[in-house]
Amino acid sequence: MTAQRPIFVTEPHLPPLQEFIPYLEQIWASKRLTNGGPFHEQLEKELAAYLGVQHLSLFANGTLALVTALQALRIGGEVITTPYTFAATAHSLLWNNIKPVFVDIDPVTCNLDPERIEEAITPATTAILPVHCYGLPCDVDRIQQVADIYGLKVIYDAAHAFGVKKDDISILNDGDLAVLSFHATKVMNTFEGGAIVCPDAKIKQRIDYLKNFGFANETTVVAPGINGKMSEVCAAMGLLQLKHIDQALAARTAIHQRYREAFQDIPSLRLQQVPGNLDWNHAYCPLFVLPDHPVSRDALYDVLKAHQIHARRYFYPLVSSFPMYRGLASATPDHLPHAHRLAEQVICLPIYPTLPADDQARLIDLVLQTAQ
Ligand code: T4K
């Protein structure tokens, strides 16, 4: 029997190497490696235009962008957030000495349940940090309504939401700020990278200071900033990726459609519902293995793994059960029933533009076999 090649949950989208060489030659010739070089400036402009947003500040990664977004708006005290996310969301709060307050998710969208936010607000609450989980938008109108009533800021962790539009408008425009990730595993990657999307030039200026140690000019430091800058090599990768992004998104859509067709008649397997007015990026393919499925989620995970298919249980275990959070009153499982249930049911299937059709067919067969 020939060994099967491993399939991972994702694979970075890499345009042909020869297309990257001219960028490297330019960097070598100019000797400009970082600190707001020409590729950095160009990528900020091209991304803002592509995404349909006013301003955007590039970062070395999404986590530093989250930490800095909280700094930029001077958020402190308590922040309401979701437990159903990657570690970085809540960690960005701890790095700012902010207490996370976990609120349960909507069982259909996997996003922060807006109807549960009000009961979590205390005099110490300063902001809401929701996540557009898997790139599917939060109920932004309802969240903004609650934020307006209580005078709270809203920062969206939009790490998964590159290019997502609702009614043709980017969801990155919602809230006070939105944070993107361009990590290797993301829809759009700059090796490592991230960005803060912001509505006006003044706040972008402050964010730009903060990501460069707080330097306003050679001799003036206006804030205790951090080093969050994106390098020229990463920015060049971003420019190249942008040239191929529409094809990459189309390939993801086709792969997702094949999954949808394969599992549509199996009531014990649920894929996310996607509203008709949404231009989704198919960043992930979460499949929920319901209790009446003949095998459990973990058994399915093991079956796939035995065949060299490395699906991932994003987001299990829940962030709220990590040792640094589980002592919080808001982290008790009784308080977060939907998040706990979905974390036990979810398995994210491989999805990336170059996933070979025969590998996907093999994977689908294995999943279907568990339904018999
Ligand atoms: N907020 C949210 C909601 C997030 O999901 C994330 C990151 C952030 C904030 C923070 O953004 P960044 O600071 O990362 O920019 C991965 C990613 O590292 C992480 O970026 C992502 N979310 C998270 C959901 O997934 P891991 O620990 O699962 O990564 P890893 O190394 O196990 O990679 C998964 C698979 O991808 C591997 O099995 C193989 C493949 N892979 C991975 C890398 C790194 C490759 O083929 N090539 C590669 O270079 O966290």
Side-chain angles (χ1 to χ4, degrees):
M1 201 177 97
T2 52
Q4 284 165 330
R5 60 178 174 263
I7 307 174
F8 295 100
V9 68
T10 187
E11 214 174 65
H13 183 232
L14 292 174
L17 181 58
Q18 61 271 27
E19 290 186 27
F20 196 44
I21 305 292
Y23 292 92
L24 294 178
E25 286 172 345
Q26 222 171 300
I27 292 170
W28 257 244
S30 70
K31 297 193 166 59
R32 188 64 192 254
L33 307 187
T34 187
N35 286 13
F39 286 148
H40 175 280
E41 300 303 287
Q42 191 183 339
L43 183 60
E44 284 198 346
K45 290 194 179 71
E46 286 196 18
L47 274 173
Y50 179 84
L51 294 170
V53 301
Q54 287 298 312
H55 298 278
L56 168 158
S57 179
L58 290 170
F59 272 78
N61 59 62
T63 306
L64 278 170
L66 275 172
V67 168
T68 308
L70 292 158
Q71 285 276 320
L73 298 184
R74 300 181 193 281
I75 305 298
E78 295 179 5
V79 168
I80 291 167
T81 193
T82 168
Y84 193 86
T85 182
F86 190 59
T89 314
H91 286 357
S92 71
L93 297 172
L94 285 200
W95 276 76
N96 277 296
N97 215 8
I98 295 166
K99 180 177 168 187
V101 175
F102 296 110
V103 158
D104 205 6
I105 56 172
D106 177 300
V108 175
T109 65
C110 296
N111 289 327
L112 198 59
D113 181 350
E115 303 311 326
R116 303 286 309 276
I117 293 176
E118 266 180 290
E119 66 199 33
I121 294 173
T122 75
T125 311
T126 56
I128 308 170
L129 178 61
V131 178
H132 297 302
C133 193
Y134 308 129
L136 290 159
C138 295
D139 184 345
V140 291
D141 295 337
R142 184 72 187 110
I143 289 174
Q144 195 58 54
Q145 220 174 27
V146 178
D148 288 344
I149 292 170
Y150 290 90
L152 305 176
K153 299 284 187 196
V154 182
I155 299 176
Y156 281 101
D157 180 338
H160 304 171
F162 181 90
V164 177
K165 290 185 174 160
K166 204 169 82 182
D167 294 322
D168 264 347
I169 296 172
S170 171
I171 63 164
L172 301 172
N173 290 308
D174 290 300
D176 294 281
L177 298 173
V179 174
L180 285 162
S181 165
F182 306 135
H183 181 259
T185 55
K186 295 296 194 295
V187 165
M188 150 90 187
N189 95 79
T190 59
F191 303 116
E192 290 269 6
I196 302 178
V197 174
C198 39
D200 66 72
K202 239 162 93 179
I203 181 78
K204 172 168 161 52
Q205 179 67 85
R206 179 165 161 74
I207 290 166
D208 287 347
Y209 292 154
L210 282 171
K211 77 176 179 192
N212 186 28
F213 314 98
F215 277 102
N217 59 43
E218 201 177 320
T219 51
T220 316
V221 176
V222 296
I226 200 161
N227 182 357
K229 293 170 273 112
M230 177 182 276
S231 76
E232 283 294 274
V233 174
C234 292
M237 178 67 163
L239 289 168
L240 180 55
Q241 289 265 327
L242 262 189
K243 291 189 174 162
H244 296 267
I245 195 73
D246 289 335
Q247 282 161 277
L249 289 169
R252 284 179 173 278
T253 307
I255 291 165
H256 203 275
Q257 185 55 27
R258 288 203 285 272
Y259 281 132
R260 192 165 288 287
E261 281 161 16
F263 304 136
Q264 66 188 355
D265 295 329
I266 315 234
S268 56
L269 296 175
R270 176 172 77 83
L271 287 171
Q272 290 289 76
Q273 286 168 20
V274 184
N277 61 347
L278 191 70
D279 205 350
W280 186 32
N281 62 7
H282 304 88
Y284 294 84
C285 184
L287 180 73
F288 296 91
V289 181
L290 304 183
D292 53 345
H293 194 68
V295 308
S296 68
R297 183 277 309 271
D298 287 340
L300 174 60
Y301 172 85
D302 289 338
V303 165
L304 295 177
K305 203 168 177 178
H307 288 81
Q308 293 282 340
I309 297 168
H310 303 277
R312 290 294 284 268
R313 290 164 287 189
Y314 297 131
F315 289 102
Y316 163 87
L318 288 181
V319 169
S320 49
S321 60
F322 293 173
M324 64 295 300
Y325 302 111
R326 66 183 173 221
L328 294 170
S330 66
T332 51
D334 289 353
H335 177 67
L336 308 166
H338 294 312
H340 274 274
R341 184 168 47 78
L342 294 179
E344 295 289 337
Q345 293 179 350
V346 71
I347 183 162
C348 283
L349 300 177
I351 184 162
Y352 48 90
T354 51
L355 177 64
D358 55 344
D359 280 348
Q360 191 186 4
R362 178 161 71 86
L363 190 167
I364 286 172
D365 271 354
L366 287 167
V367 176
L368 291 178
Q369 279 169 32
T370 68
Q372 284 157 13

